[in-house]
Amino acid sequence: DQQVKQNSPSLSVQEGRISILNCDYTNSMFDYFLWYKKYPAEGPTFLISISSIKDKNEDGRFTVFLNKSAKHLSLHIVPSQPGDSAVYFCAAAASLTDYKLSFGAGTTVTVRA
Amino acid sequence: NAGVTQTPKFQVLKTGQSMTLQCAQDMNHNSMYWYRQDPGMGLRLIYYSASEGTTDKGEVPNGYNVSRLNKREFSLRLESAAPSQTSVYFCASRVGQAPNTEAFFGQGTRLTVV
């Protein structure tokens, strides 16, 4: 049973607009959340993370929001650029109890010029 | 700094053949992981090694074995390949059990079993 869920397999957005990617999790032990970006024929690369002690983390055009009560996080990309077209994976870890990262199924983002 | 290196990048096997996927990291990380990526399934953990000398099963370990040869290297072995093992395999490493640490991934091995 997947503990991290990305229910939108794809997202199409116009260049310059906001991209919002959503992620839900079921394991209440998760306390560290990450977003990865993956281009075709490459390995995933780390994008941004957030600890459960925060509800927002910002890095340039990327902001991650965490709602612990709803077990939900989102990634905002503003403004979206053509180079942002990729697959985005949400991942979570129970950092104090195990070493594993659990991943969602991914959301494919296409930024239209 | 090479990061995480996987070999080979591509492989075609016949059903029943065996092979070993190699992974090495040069970041002095304690933890290493093997994932497989399948359409609509995301990245699923096959096996992981929290530290040198230890290995543990992940979500989908059946049909695989692993060896943590030393701190740098973590190999994945398919003893008798099956078409269901056609996938893209990623090796990753992470500092270890510490908060706020990300995993670094290799470029992947695309395996086809016919």
Side-chain angles (χ1 to χ4, degrees):
Chain A
D1 185 31
Q2 265 195 315
Q3 298 183 73
V4 179
K5 299 178 182 179
Q6 294 176 258
N7 292 319
S8 298
S10 62
L11 172 69
S12 180
V13 64
Q14 194 162 11
E15 183 178 2
R17 306 294 292 267
I18 185 171
S19 294
I20 300 177
L21 290 77
N22 294 304
C23 178
D24 297 292
Y25 61 96
T26 58
N27 188 342
S28 58
M29 297 299 293
F30 287 152
D31 60 355
Y32 185 54
F33 304 90
L34 311 91
W35 286 92
Y36 280 82
K37 179 178 180 178
K38 184 184 179 304
Y39 292 119
E42 295 184 8
T45 55
F46 171 72
L47 189 58
I48 191 169
S49 64
I50 188 167
S51 166
S52 60
I53 63 173
K54 295 184 176 181
D55 55 18
K56 176 183 174 181
N57 189 28
E58 192 172 349
D59 184 1
R61 296 185 298 114
F62 303 91
T63 303
V64 56
F65 297 92
L66 175 62
N67 182 335
K68 285 176 291 185
S69 61
K71 293 191 177 69
H72 176 83
L73 63 155
S74 61
L75 174 69
H76 292 206
I77 307 173
V78 184
S80 299
Q81 298 175 354
D84 297 330
S85 295
V87 179
Y88 290 79
F89 291 101
C90 173
S95 61
L96 297 181
T97 59
D98 68 44
Y99 300 87
K100 302 189 294 288
L101 283 177
S102 298
F103 284 81
T107 297
T108 300
V109 172
T110 303
V111 180
R112 309 185 310 272
Chain B
N1 191 341
V4 179
T5 303
Q6 290 181 235
T7 56
K9 289 188 169 52
F10 302 94
Q11 183 71 50
V12 179
L13 289 179
K14 293 183 179 178
T15 297
Q17 285 186 317
S18 63
M19 80 159 295
T20 300
L21 281 65
Q22 306 286 354
C23 175
Q25 54 92 8
D26 60 4
M27 295 174 283
N28 202 35
H29 286 170
N30 292 311
S31 302
M32 296 186 73
Y33 308 80
W34 277 104
Y35 288 89
R36 58 178 288 174
Q37 183 194 7
D38 301 291
M41 305 291 286
L43 292 156
R44 292 184 293 169
L45 183 64
I46 305 171
Y47 269 94
Y48 69 103
S49 171
S51 60
E52 186 178 355
T54 69
T55 60
D56 285 286
K57 295 178 181 179
E59 304 168 60
V60 288
N62 291 345
Y64 306 95
N65 285 302
V66 291
S67 295
R68 183 73 182 267
L69 305 169
N70 47 56
K71 191 171 187 179
R72 290 186 64 247
E73 298 172 287
F74 187 40
S75 62
L76 178 72
R77 183 161 178 83
L78 287 71
E79 290 291 351
S80 179
S84 61
Q85 293 178 305
T86 293
S87 187
V88 181
Y89 292 84
F90 289 100
C91 177
S93 71
R94 194 172 174 215
V95 169
Q97 189 182 21
N100 299 356
T101 61
E102 74 263 29
F104 295 83
F105 285 82
Q107 292 210 318
T109 296
R110 184 173 293 274
L111 175 67
T112 302
V113 183
V114 298

